[in-house]
Amino acid sequence: MYENMATMSTTIDGSTWEINPYPATVGAGYLKRLFKVFGQSFSVLVEAGDVEGGISKAVEMLVGNLDKDDVIDLVKKMTSGLRKDGSPVNFDSEFARRYHVLFAIVQWIITENFGSFFPNSGSVSV
């Protein structure tokens, strides 16, 4: 297996979360959809000055567009395959009333998969 395809893990809200990196074809498709959400604001993300600032703005834009069905679908697809403490996650049950955890996880997933699009890219702790 390629090193860049190793399972990624983090601790958020006291639980260990794991997900596999997106294969190039899947990741490119998600990135295209993220660009549509960000629209003209993508340059603002890139110019944020650091990874955390850029990713935070990206998540803020996702949250601001949650009323669009395609954004919710994108978030659900991006979190498919997510595991919590080794067990598969049921999106609707796991994140009901726990949106702060959902957005922290989305921020982590975007950072790990697409952080190279932001200045000073690399992994950040969430």
Side-chain angles (χ1 to χ4, degrees):
M1 172 165 45
Y2 293 100
E3 183 178 320
N4 61 318
M5 292 302 292
T7 299
M8 304 174 298
S9 66
T10 191
T11 300
I12 296 174
D13 199 42
S15 296
T16 300
W17 300 86
E18 298 175 321
I19 196 164
N20 293 326
Y22 305 132
T25 304
V26 173
Y30 290 160
L31 192 57
K32 178 181 174 184
R33 291 179 69 184
L34 286 168
F35 284 158
K36 286 182 181 180
V37 171
F38 302 152
Q40 298 294 331
S41 302
F42 184 71
S43 62
V44 173
L45 300 179
V46 173
E47 295 166 3
D50 61 28
V51 175
E52 288 188 44
I55 299 297
S56 292
K57 288 184 186 288
V59 172
E60 184 179 315
M61 288 179 188
L62 278 175
V63 171
N65 284 287
L66 278 179
D67 57 332
K68 299 177 183 174
D69 288 336
D70 57 333
V71 173
I72 293 170
D73 179 63
L74 175 59
V75 170
K76 286 179 82 169
K77 286 184 177 182
M78 289 176 62
T79 57
S80 67
L82 184 65
R83 293 175 302 284
K84 175 184 175 188
D85 297 327
S87 298
V89 171
N90 177 302
F91 184 90
D92 289 321
S93 298
E94 184 65 46
F95 299 117
R97 298 177 52 191
R98 300 186 63 215
Y99 303 105
H100 67 289
V101 174
L102 173 61
F103 296 126
I105 288 169
V106 169
Q107 181 173 350
W108 166 65
I109 290 172
I110 291 173
T111 300
E112 291 296 325
N113 280 282
F114 308 113
S116 63
F117 276 91
F118 301 92
N120 305 314
S121 64
S123 299
V124 295
S125 298
V126 178

